[in-house]
């Protein structure tokens, strides 16, 4: 597991989210079980279950009693929309604010981004 200060259950949830966003876990696909996640990441099964249950609470996964957990239809779109919003708040808004402080208008900022893109 990654030691970035996030709780282990949140890291498990993010691993599953990343797999959904990158397409390796498709909608309606079964996700690894609590025990599989616990064994693979060498964590307590209760911690793995907490990560999966957090995704159930967010509507990303759903449970089929006695069978396992599955990716909800529309989960990828929901995750991508949430990440795009977070990206805008964390990176784009501060970028535009700093550009304004430096007297860089939007057209110049776009030009800077276009130039950077070609490197």
């Amino acid at each position: 597991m990654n030691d970035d200060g996030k709780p282990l259950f949140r890291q498990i949830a993010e691993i599953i989210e990343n797999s959904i966003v990158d397409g390796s876990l498709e909608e309606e696909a079964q996700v690894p079980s609590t025990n599989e996640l616990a064994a693979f990441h060498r964590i307590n099964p209760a911690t793995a279950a907490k990560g999966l249950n957090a995704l159930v609470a967010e509507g990303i996964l759903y449970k089929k009693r006695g069978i396992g957990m599955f990716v909800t239809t529309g989960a990828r779109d929901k995750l991508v929309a949430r990440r795009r919003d977070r990206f805008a708040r964390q990176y784009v808004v501060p970028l535009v604010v700093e550009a304004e402080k430096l007297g860089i208008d939007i057209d110049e900022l776009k030009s800077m981004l276009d130039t950077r893109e070609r490197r």
Side-chain angles (χ1 to χ4, degrees), residues 31-39 43-50 52 69:
V31 300
S33 72
T34 297
N35 290 332
E36 290 170 331
L37 289 167
I43 60 172
N44 187 307
T47 302
K50 188 174 179 180
L52 293 176
M69 295 206 193

Side-chain angles (χ1 to χ4, degrees), residues 17 20-22 27 58 60 74-90 92:
E17 287 177 356
I20 294 168
V21 170
D22 73 18
E27 295 179 350
E58 295 172 17
I60 303 301
R76 184 179 186 283
D77 291 340
K78 185 175 189 176
L79 289 169
V80 168
R82 183 168 51 189
R83 287 183 177 196
R84 288 175 68 103
D85 181 60
R86 186 180 330 138
F87 178 81
R89 283 184 281 113
Q90 286 181 329
V92 177

Side-chain angles (χ1 to χ4, degrees), residues 49-80:
K50 188 174 179 180
L52 293 176
N53 287 325
L55 294 174
V56 169
E58 295 172 17
I60 303 301
L61 301 179
Y62 67 94
K63 297 178 186 182
K64 284 187 181 178
R65 191 169 182 87
I67 299 174
M69 295 206 193
F70 295 80
V71 179
T72 304
T73 299
R76 184 179 186 283
D77 291 340
K78 185 175 189 176
L79 289 169
V80 168

Side-chain angles (χ1 to χ4, degrees), residues 99-113:
E100 288 172 349
K101 288 178 186 176
L102 299 173
I104 300 170
D105 65 23
I106 293 298
D107 290 332
E108 186 178 356
L109 183 57
K110 286 178 185 176
S111 175
M112 293 168 87
L113 289 170

